[in-house]
Amino acid sequence: MFNLVLFGPPGSGKGTQSENIVSTYKLQHISTGDLLRDEVSRHTPLGTEAKKYMDQGMLVPDEVVIGMISGKIDDARDARGFIFDGFPRTRPQAEALDKLLEFKNTKIHLVLALDVPEAELTKRLLGRGETSGRSDDNEDIIKKRITEYHSKTQPVANYYNEHGKLETVTGNHSITDTFKMLAKHINKYLLPIK
Ligand code: AP5
Ligand code: MG
């Protein structure tokens, strides 16, 4: 099994690059943002609780997200590996993920962090907001999300760096060129499936 965390601020291209990675390496994609939006659209109790935070650009509480993810890991027993997109977002989430994977006799092998300047992040998120229907489509919420990222999520990079798992990739080249740089790192662990 090969397990990858795709890390980076909002708008850095995690969702976009996950699609390329999933189709090339056949990993099981786990995006907490997608899972939460699905809960919101189905009006589940979890979704109703999460929406309050998401609409304000704040992180959803750890226990909600961790509870949601553990079932998803169980669902995909035969997976070649996982790509975690938008998770873990706090140090407690990173520690919980390590425990969940250890229970399955596996671990996080590699963390790829997309590095993109803040002005470019804002531009991309405003652009996506015009068509996505997502609630994070205005400059105030985008600012809030970036502030949350710096205070709560950035420490996760240090956590993985301490464990020797972090590689940083410049994420403001074209989508294709960025994917090529990510693939160079992944190929050290896993070959593409044609
Ligand atoms: P979530 O959906 O996870 O947001 P995110 O994935 O961090 O951020 P984005 O989806 O905004 O950006 P992205 O990096 O995926 O970029 P994308 O590929 O879309 O989270 C939403 C909310 O849910 C959070 O605010 C929080 O409330 C909650 N939540 C989720 N997970 C949580 C967790 N673990 N703990 C607590 N709360 C959680 O690209 C963005 C745009 O840029 C697109 O339009 C794309 O086409 C464009 N683009 C991408 N790459 C390029 C490129 N190279 N050049 C030009 N444009 C590009
Ligand atoms: Mg995303």
Side-chain angles (χ1 to χ4, degrees):
M1 227 184 178
F2 167 76
N3 302 308
L4 171 72
V5 172
L6 198 53
F7 186 84
S12 56
K14 300 184 296 295
T16 305
Q17 294 300 337
S18 286
E19 282 181 30
N20 290 330
I21 293 170
V22 165
S23 69
T24 306
Y25 297 97
K26 312 292 181 235
L27 295 174
Q28 180 78 31
H29 184 211
I30 296 191
S31 155
T32 43
D34 289 350
L35 292 171
L36 288 167
R37 278 184 290 279
D38 179 57
E39 297 276 350
V40 171
S41 71
R42 290 188 291 114
H43 304 284
T44 63
L46 193 156
T48 308
E49 173 69 9
K51 189 175 188 304
K52 295 182 215 157
Y53 297 90
M54 295 168 79
D55 284 352
Q56 295 179 63
M58 286 163 64
L59 291 185
V60 172
D62 286 337
E63 57 276 17
V64 174
V65 178
I66 293 165
M68 188 177 70
I69 207 106
S70 83
K72 294 292 158 192
I73 296 177
D74 284 337
D75 284 351
R77 274 174 226 280
D78 300 327
R80 198 182 185 210
F82 293 100
I83 171 168
F84 295 98
D85 158 10
F87 177 86
R89 267 223 191 29
T90 62
R91 210 176 158 116
Q93 289 182 21
E95 288 164 358
L97 179 61
D98 278 352
K99 287 208 184 94
L100 285 170
L101 293 175
E102 200 183 317
F103 197 63
K104 308 213 168 310
N105 288 319
T106 186
K107 61 177 184 176
I108 291 299
H109 296 83
L110 178 64
V111 178
L112 292 173
L114 289 165
D115 183 26
V116 177
E118 207 160 304
E120 172 71 14
L121 298 175
T122 308
K123 192 177 111 196
R124 286 184 190 178
L125 291 175
L126 287 172
R128 187 182 64 186
E130 285 169 15
T131 55
S132 67
R134 283 178 50 158
S135 57
D136 52 0
D137 60 349
N138 64 75
E139 221 156 321
D140 282 351
I141 297 291
I142 291 169
K143 263 198 195 124
K144 191 89 168 281
R145 292 189 64 201
I146 294 175
T147 306
E148 281 276 274
Y149 172 80
H150 286 303
S151 65
K152 296 182 183 160
T153 305
Q154 186 62 48
V156 174
N158 305 337
Y159 175 80
Y160 286 119
N161 199 25
E162 285 159 19
H163 291 82
K165 295 180 179 176
L166 184 75
E167 297 285 353
T168 301
V169 166
T170 309
N172 62 341
H173 299 294
S174 71
I175 291 171
T176 311
D177 286 349
T178 304
F179 175 65
K180 281 185 191 153
M181 290 190 285
L182 295 171
K184 266 192 195 158
H185 288 288
I186 301 172
N187 288 343
K188 292 176 197 158
Y189 296 82
L190 195 68
L191 290 174
I193 293 182
K194 301 282 178 233

